[in-house]
């Protein structure tokens, strides 16, 4: 029997629209955008920040070191990253609905202290939840088994009583390997009825 609903955050309860954000800064200059993205994403610094191994300042230095010819643009990108985070209006009502139905609701997210500080307003659903784990807090990221265990240990959860959803299939597989039930999140319109059916069966 499922008693606990566990949500990923990025591109589930809120949207991280990085591609749209980059175009808002640099128009259709795809070569520039790709070069900046390589500096920020492909050297692992953002992932290290999610894992709590680097802070925002160290991530900025690492990204610049990877593409020093674009230092100005990288600084601009990271300084204004809040604009890549967007609220989903369905998040709070969905959490409230689940709570009224008697479920405990948690978050489990690869998320950094930098991202929280950049735009805390998109996390307006958290006060309605029973708790959760951010990756940077426990120095582990999905789909590593440790992060799923951390959530269960922190709140005394039984994995088989948890349903987990994430937009990344590998993260759902990681949860399932730890005993969770799992559903890949594709869109609210498609996945909401799938999740509600699984919870209420």
């Amino acid at each position: 029997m499922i008693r606990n609903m566990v949500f990923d955050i990025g591109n589930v309860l809120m949207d991280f629209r990085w591609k749209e954000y980059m175009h808002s800064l640099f128009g259709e200059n795809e070569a520039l955008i790709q070069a900046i993205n390589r500096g920020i994403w492909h050297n692992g610094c953002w992932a290290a920040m999610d894992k709590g191994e680097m802070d925002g300042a160290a991530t900025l230095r690492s990204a610049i070191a990877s593409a020093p010819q674009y230092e100005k643009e990288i600084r601009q990108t990271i300084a204004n990253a809040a604009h890549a985070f967007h609220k989903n209006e369905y998040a709070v009502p969905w959490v409230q609905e689940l709570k009224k139905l008697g479920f405990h609701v948690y978050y489990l997210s690869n998320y950094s202290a930098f991202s929280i500080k950049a735009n805390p307003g998109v996390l307006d659903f958290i006060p309605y939840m029973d708790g959760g784990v951010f990756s940077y807090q426990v120095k582990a990221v999905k789909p590593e088994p440790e992060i799923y265990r951390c959530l269960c240990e922190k709140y005394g959860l039984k994995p088989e009583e948890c349903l987990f959803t994430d937009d990344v299939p590998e993260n759902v597989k990681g949860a399932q390997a730890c005993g969770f039930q799992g559903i890949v999140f594709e869109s609210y319109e498609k996945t909401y009825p799938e999740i509600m059916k699984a919870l209420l069966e």
Side-chain angles (χ1 to χ4, degrees), residues 148-196:
Y148 306 98
R149 288 198 292 266
C150 283
L151 178 72
C152 291
E153 290 172 3
K154 184 175 181 179
Y155 297 101
L157 308 181
K158 297 178 180 179
E160 65 273 17
E161 295 180 348
C162 298
L163 175 61
F164 175 67
T165 190
D166 195 300
D167 64 307
V168 179
E170 290 79 6
N171 294 343
V172 175
K173 290 178 183 176
Q176 290 170 328
C178 291
F180 289 61
Q181 298 186 51
I183 293 176
V184 176
F185 188 91
E186 297 182 45
S187 69
Y188 176 72
E189 292 73 19
K190 182 179 187 302
T191 310
Y192 168 83
E194 186 178 355
I195 286 175
M196 299 307 290

Side-chain angles (χ1 to χ4, degrees), residues 110-163:
N110 291 353
Y111 218 90
S112 66
F114 169 86
S115 295
I116 293 172
K117 185 178 180 180
N119 196 334
V122 300
L123 304 175
D124 61 340
F125 46 83
I126 286 181
Y128 299 92
M129 305 176 88
D130 293 287
V133 168
F134 289 120
S135 57
Y136 82 93
Q137 296 171 323
V138 297
K139 304 295 190 291
V141 294
K142 297 171 296 182
E144 296 171 354
E146 180 62 23
I147 193 169
Y148 306 98
R149 288 198 292 266
C150 283
L151 178 72
C152 291
E153 290 172 3
K154 184 175 181 179
Y155 297 101
L157 308 181
K158 297 178 180 179
E160 65 273 17
E161 295 180 348
C162 298
L163 175 61

